[in-house]
Amino acid sequence: MRKRIIVNTFKQYLTLFIVFLIVSSGILPMYPAPLYAEGNQSEDEWVLSKEVEGQTSKEVGKEEEFSYDINLKVPDDLEEFENLTVIDEIDSRLTIQQVIVVVDDEVDSSIPSDLDGQKVSVEFSGDQLKHLVGKTGTVQVTVQLNDDVEAGEQIENIAEVIGDGTSLVESNNVTVTVVGDEEQPVEEEEAESESKLELEQQEEASEEEETVVGINNVEANNVLEINDVDSYGISINILDGSLSQIRQFDGNNFNADPKAIVMVTGIPGNVLVSNGLAVHPTENAFYAYGASPEIPHGLYRITPDGSAEYVGNLDGVAANGVISQDGNIFPVCIMPQSLV
């Protein structure tokens, strides 16, 4: 019995000795610890994530250009690695346009990228690897959908990190869904709607400006002709009281477009002038009613060239402009607020 125990103990020691010799000889290869191993490298120290335009999934139109962002954050202790390589195999339905490397929000052109067909590789080694310690490095790959890609197709993509030739970790999966012209992404539809609304507002503003300055391309004249046949009207920009003008309409061939327009000068901008315009029977001049906080019922004389001067203050509101035959009386029409 004692002999059997001695033999078994000898066999155990012999087995341990043989294992020791094999490991010491280098016959068994040594692999780096995985990124999520216990010890100095904890799971929350390593981050490898992937995004497409800041999202994990995105709808893109045919032939549209967009970017993948591969974000890598490494722990402080990287002594066991001589190099780290970010690898991304881009789908054949995409054409690679550009690859850049960003470290802590700054483009680092010293770190080269390698393209092998659709395979993108960016290697960090030496000082570049030391510079990456404790920071976030981003490999941005800009691509474009090929013109033969059909609407409804989905393109998935995963990146990985290689350490000293061994795969260490893979990123999350991102998905791109191709949409046709009739089903554009929501953000594009919103942008188009905003652009259309802005264009409509510009057109409306242009029409308003045209209405104030001149109708249907009627150019402003330097002098109006005052006669007993034509009709005359005065108007302003009611928003700020500017652009006062008198328009002359042909009495023999009436048309909505005035045959002449003259801009009025000499009336303060805060005076609202409208409706109350009359032609003097003997003077070659107009008389107009204008209201302002300082002069509530002002009367202004306007010559055919648009020059205006203050004449005096009326006793009430002149809703219409009429001058007596002798030219001495400018009747007023006081409109009660209860009447429309």
Side-chain angles (χ1 to χ4, degrees):
M1 182 70 178
R2 179 179 177 82
K3 182 178 180 181
R4 182 178 298 176
I5 294 174
I6 293 174
V7 171
N8 289 337
T9 302
F10 175 75
K11 288 181 179 180
Q12 291 174 357
Y13 280 114
L14 180 60
T15 301
L16 291 174
F17 180 69
I18 292 173
V19 172
F20 173 76
L21 290 178
I22 293 175
V23 172
S24 301
S25 65
I27 296 176
L28 295 177
M30 300 298 291
Y31 294 99
L35 293 182
Y36 298 139
E38 298 289 339
N40 292 333
Q41 298 169 348
S42 62
E43 181 174 345
D44 58 358
E45 288 180 309
W46 287 86
V47 176
L48 181 65
S49 62
K50 185 163 188 178
E51 300 173 330
V52 51
E53 300 290 347
Q55 307 171 59
T56 56
S57 63
K58 179 177 174 62
E59 293 183 344
V60 296
K62 297 183 66 175
E63 301 184 46
E64 182 179 343
E65 188 176 284
F66 59 93
S67 296
Y68 288 120
D69 288 334
I70 308 162
N71 305 305
L72 171 65
K73 184 176 181 181
V74 299
D76 295 336
D77 185 10
L78 283 178
E79 294 181 357
E80 64 178 288
F81 295 106
E82 294 183 1
N83 62 69
L84 289 177
T85 306
V86 177
I87 295 179
D88 192 359
E89 190 79 34
I90 302 299
D91 193 279
S92 60
R93 289 168 289 182
L94 303 172
T95 299
I96 300 172
Q97 303 289 340
Q98 177 181 254
V99 179
I100 62 173
V101 180
V102 179
V103 178
D104 272 7
D105 298 326
E106 293 186 3
V107 176
D108 192 339
S109 56
S110 67
I111 303 175
S113 59
D114 180 66
L115 291 180
D116 183 9
Q118 294 292 105
K119 183 179 180 180
V120 177
S121 301
V122 175
E123 181 178 340
F124 299 86
S125 60
D127 292 338
Q128 298 167 348
L129 188 56
K130 293 178 182 179
H131 181 61
L132 187 62
V133 172
K135 300 179 180 179
T136 299
T138 299
V139 178
Q140 186 178 86
V141 184
T142 302
V143 298
Q144 184 178 25
L145 282 169
N146 297 337
D147 55 8
D148 58 348
V149 181
E150 298 295 333
E153 293 188 40
Q154 289 189 335
I155 302 175
E156 297 185 345
N157 188 269
I158 295 176
E160 67 174 332
V161 171
I162 304 292
D164 294 339
T166 302
S167 179
L168 301 177
V169 66
E170 289 185 343
S171 73
N172 57 291
N173 182 49
V174 295
T175 304
V176 169
T177 303
V178 183
V179 296
D181 296 336
E182 69 281 356
E183 49 174 342
Q184 294 179 334
V186 175
E187 57 266 27
E188 290 189 11
E189 292 180 355
E190 293 177 350
E192 286 192 2
S193 297
E194 292 177 359
S195 178
K196 184 177 180 180
L197 177 61
E198 183 178 351
L199 181 60
E200 290 176 352
Q201 291 174 343
Q202 291 177 352
E203 290 177 350
E204 290 176 0
S206 177
E207 291 175 358
E208 291 176 0
E209 182 178 355
E210 181 182 356
T211 302
V212 172
V213 176
I215 298 179
N216 296 338
N217 299 323
V218 175
E219 296 184 358
N221 297 64
N222 293 327
V223 179
L224 296 180
E225 177 189 354
I226 298 179
N227 55 55
D228 297 331
V229 177
D230 293 340
S231 299
Y232 305 87
I234 190 168
S235 66
I236 60 169
N237 183 343
I238 61 174
L239 297 179
D240 57 10
S242 62
L243 300 174
S244 299
Q245 52 187 262
I246 297 177
R247 303 178 184 186
Q248 180 176 359
F249 297 89
D250 195 332
N252 293 317
N253 183 23
F254 180 76
N255 191 291
D257 294 337
K259 74 178 194 179
I261 296 175
V262 68
M263 306 304 296
V264 178
T265 59
I267 297 180
N270 65 339
V271 176
L272 297 180
V273 180
S274 63
N275 294 332
L277 177 71
V279 178
H280 198 280
T282 58
E283 299 178 16
N284 190 32
F286 302 97
Y287 280 79
Y289 168 83
S292 68
E294 296 81 9
I295 306 175
H297 308 297
L299 181 64
Y300 296 87
R301 182 179 185 274
I302 307 173
T303 58
D305 64 356
S307 300
E309 60 176 345
Y310 173 70
V311 175
N313 199 35
L314 300 175
D315 293 333
V317 177
N320 293 284
V322 180
I323 295 180
S324 61
Q325 287 293 330
D326 59 7
N328 295 323
I329 302 175
F330 193 102
V332 300
C333 177
I334 301 177
M335 301 293 293
Q337 292 185 356
S338 59
L339 298 181
V340 178

